[in-house]
Amino acid sequence: MAAQREKKHEERNHRSSRNGARAPPAQWGRAWEVDWFSLASILFLLAFAPLIVYYFVMSCDQYQCSLTRPLIDLLTGNQHLSDIWNKTPTLTYKAAGIYAAWVAFQVVLYVFVPDFCHKFLPGYVGGVQEGAVTPAGVVNKYEINGLQAWIITHVLWFANAYYFHFFSPTIIFDNWIPLLWCANILGYVVSTFAMIKGYFFPTNAKDCKFTGNFFYDYMMGVEFNPRIGKWFDFKLFFNGRPGIVAWTLINLSYAAKQQELYGHVTNSMVLVNVLQGIYVLDFFWNEAWYLKTIDICHDHFGWYLGWGDCVWLPYLYTLQGLYLVYHPVQLSTANAIGILALGLVGYYIFRMTNHQKDLFRRTNGNCKIWGRKPDYIECSYMAVDGTKYYSKLLTSGFWGWARHFNYTGDLMGSLAYCLACGFEHILPYFYIVYMTILLVHRCVRDEHRCYSKYGKDWKRYTAAVPYRLIPGLF
């Protein structure tokens, strides 16, 4: 399961001080100073991430999703870069109109339609919710209405497909590359605007960070929670809308195109739509919980989030559905059931692991996990003002199996998406490769930060839970 998932907060703590005061937020986030390796990595991503997205989409459009044939053609002289570029659909007025209407519609749903789902859906937390305390001591309020926006959008989508017929349900696929140029324009515009805003009219100047390096500040962001007005929060909007609301619509458009081309929808396409749809719905059902994760609590808003949410997420997280339009895979019943089981078990692990952490944190350990009182390690750390605070690190349930077992479930789900596409091409497997690199890197990065924070207490914790992702192996 995805994404954009600089989303999963790894501190399984309930913080308290001896006098009961609220502890300050952990000082994670982006750096004040830039080392050469970070700068090199950022320059690489700024230069090549847009090209990677284009290469994958172009490979499907011109080479039936083969990642090697474009390179072979270029190396052998059968094609030149200009030949490939000239065959690439350009930006069109139609695509620009579609994209502008889409983004405007999501802005309206986000800003002007207060949530009503929490009034009749048991267990759902929506409406006005508070985020975590920012480094400047601000507690922002958010209108949590992502589930409502998703429902309204999809109800209108199906109403059009089956009743109104204002546009074809294949409209996204049919304009996929022209829409790519629109998404890039929005990604760069919003990232540039956010940087200018951070310098000249920030929402809260005390929540800004400046390194003096233009490229790092542009990539990782200057302002912590850029906002326009009281409710339009850049981070919450661009992560969830338009990217993740669009995710399931994009897959539905792929399924419609498959139906148009071949007269039926394959079981592999159904699996991809169902499994990724479960993840998307889970995200919006738990959108209030997302306010406590890394993206909101620690990351600043720059190109990494702005362009990534507009382009990287909708174009690369949906590669499986795109591939299946060009290569309709009909799985055997046994394989389909096995892939479905892998995806559902992965989702169960992902969700229950996060639920155990959240339950432990909310109750300060006064709960039951797997039928008994949870074990934990008491830790302490010193805040910048010299105050000593105390935390509890959970070592029961799935958190006793591995220190990042929620990532394990995430990877199981990611693998299921890819397996649904068979083994003819490597393109659909980009997602599991990318997610593995991302999550393993995050494990190492976050544990380094935790060790810096907790010192010898973190060593006690890693001795009690020795594995990161896979019990007995890693």
Side-chain angles (χ1 to χ4, degrees):
M1 280 144 250
Q4 355 357 10
R5 291 209 277 323
E6 275 301 307
K7 314 300 186 238
K8 314 300 187 295
H9 195 191
E10 273 309 311
E11 286 190 298
R12 299 172 292 283
N13 312 332
H14 179 93
R15 300 189 184 89
S16 60
S17 66
R18 287 300 192 202
N19 60 11
R22 187 200 297 246
Q27 296 302 307
W28 288 24
R30 45 152 291 184
W32 288 97
E33 298 178 353
V34 186
D35 58 73
W36 68 268
F37 180 77
S38 297
L39 180 58
S41 301
I42 282 166
L43 291 174
F44 175 85
L45 288 173
L46 286 170
F48 290 102
L51 295 178
I52 291 171
V53 176
Y54 169 75
Y55 186 83
F56 275 85
V57 176
M58 176 277 298
S59 295
C60 286
D61 182 57
Q62 298 184 30
Y63 289 90
Q64 292 292 303
C65 299
S66 172
L67 292 178
T68 56
R69 281 178 53 202
L71 293 175
I72 293 172
D73 275 359
L74 290 172
L75 292 173
T76 58
N78 290 335
Q79 292 279 336
H80 297 90
L81 287 174
S82 59
D83 298 324
I84 293 175
W85 181 253
N86 289 335
K87 293 178 185 176
T88 302
T90 60
L91 176 64
T92 64
Y93 286 112
K94 180 179 181 180
I98 293 169
Y99 197 77
W102 163 250
V103 174
F105 181 59
Q106 292 305 312
V107 170
V108 169
L109 293 180
Y110 176 63
V111 177
F112 299 108
V113 186
D115 183 74
F116 57 81
C117 289
H118 69 281
K119 296 180 179 180
F120 64 87
L121 289 177
Y124 172 67
V125 179
V128 178
Q129 301 292 324
E130 289 188 349
V133 184
T134 74
V138 177
V139 179
N140 288 312
K141 291 186 177 182
Y142 300 83
E143 177 66 44
I144 300 299
N145 59 2
L147 180 64
Q148 173 178 282
W150 186 91
I151 292 172
I152 292 173
T153 301
H154 285 71
V155 166
L156 292 176
W157 173 272
F158 282 108
N160 173 78
Y162 289 100
Y163 183 74
F164 295 111
H165 307 296
F166 292 141
F167 56 84
S168 169
T170 65
I171 189 171
I172 299 175
F173 176 87
D174 294 338
N175 295 275
W176 196 223
I177 294 181
L179 288 171
L180 172 62
W181 309 132
C182 300
N184 270 281
I185 291 170
L186 178 62
Y188 277 96
V189 167
V190 73
S191 303
T192 303
F193 175 77
M195 186 172 184
I196 294 171
K197 181 178 182 300
Y199 272 91
F200 296 104
F201 48 100
T203 302
N204 191 314
K206 293 181 180 179
D207 275 333
C208 293
K209 278 187 179 181
F210 303 92
T211 64
N213 185 288
F214 170 83
F215 296 105
Y216 187 88
D217 288 348
Y218 185 71
M219 172 81 165
M220 301 307 296
V222 169
E223 195 171 358
F224 192 60
N225 286 113
R227 289 188 163 203
I228 294 178
K230 182 178 180 181
W231 295 110
F232 188 85
D233 184 89
F234 279 60
K235 281 199 288 190
L236 188 62
F237 175 78
F238 281 100
N239 183 74
R241 286 74 59 79
I244 297 183
V245 172
W247 189 342
T248 39
L249 289 184
I250 293 166
N251 282 340
L252 288 170
S253 186
Y254 292 156
K257 192 66 180 182
Q258 202 181 63
Q259 174 71 37
E260 178 185 282
L261 291 174
Y262 309 109
H264 69 282
V265 177
T266 63
N267 58 4
S268 57
M269 180 69 85
V270 172
L271 275 175
V272 168
N273 271 263
V274 169
L275 291 175
Q276 293 187 347
I278 289 172
Y279 172 75
V280 170
L281 278 173
D282 177 90
F283 174 85
F284 286 120
W285 183 271
N286 295 285
E287 191 177 18
W289 168 83
Y290 173 66
L291 298 180
K292 310 296 183 182
T293 58
I294 288 175
D295 271 3
I296 299 295
C297 293
H298 302 293
D299 285 345
H300 290 236
F301 186 86
W303 185 87
Y304 176 76
L305 291 179
W307 180 87
D309 290 335
C310 290
V311 181
W312 187 271
L313 188 156
Y315 276 84
L316 294 190
Y317 287 15
T318 61
L319 281 176
Q320 291 77 34
L322 179 63
Y323 173 84
L324 291 172
V325 174
Y326 293 93
H327 300 274
V329 175
Q330 184 67 26
L331 299 165
S332 68
T333 301
N335 286 342
I337 292 174
I339 291 169
L340 178 63
L342 175 65
L344 294 178
V345 170
Y347 171 73
Y348 174 80
I349 291 172
F350 165 79
R351 174 45 45 212
M352 289 308 299
T353 305
N354 284 320
H355 171 71
Q356 289 174 358
K357 173 186 66 176
D358 185 58
L359 177 64
F360 178 78
R361 182 184 291 164
R362 284 188 289 106
T363 62
N364 194 21
N366 296 316
C367 60
K368 286 187 177 181
I369 293 178
W370 289 354
R372 65 184 184 86
K373 188 173 177 61
D375 297 324
Y376 58 86
I377 290 178
E378 188 99 33
C379 300
S380 63
Y381 65 96
M382 200 72 77
V384 291
D385 62 359
T387 305
K388 192 173 186 179
Y389 292 93
Y390 296 84
S391 298
K392 294 174 181 177
L393 301 180
L394 179 62
T395 59
S396 288
F398 285 125
W399 296 106
W401 289 14
R403 301 194 293 269
H404 308 266
F405 208 63
N406 53 338
Y407 292 172
T408 306
D410 218 345
L411 291 173
M412 291 171 65
S414 301
L415 179 60
Y417 309 160
C418 303
L419 290 174
C421 298
F423 300 99
E424 186 176 345
H425 287 281
I426 195 173
L427 180 141
Y429 288 84
F430 168 81
Y431 188 70
I432 184 62
V433 172
Y434 164 73
M435 289 301 299
T436 300
I437 295 171
L438 177 72
L439 295 181
V440 169
H441 171 264
R442 195 180 305 162
C443 286
V444 176
R445 181 201 65 182
D446 293 352
E447 291 194 5
H448 173 73
R449 288 168 170 168
C450 287
Y451 176 71
S452 299
K453 180 177 180 179
Y454 295 115
K456 66 179 190 298
D457 290 334
W458 183 255
K459 286 187 175 181
R460 290 196 297 124
Y461 171 67
T462 56
V465 187
Y467 299 104
R468 286 187 171 117
L469 286 172
I470 305 174
L473 292 177
F474 174 73

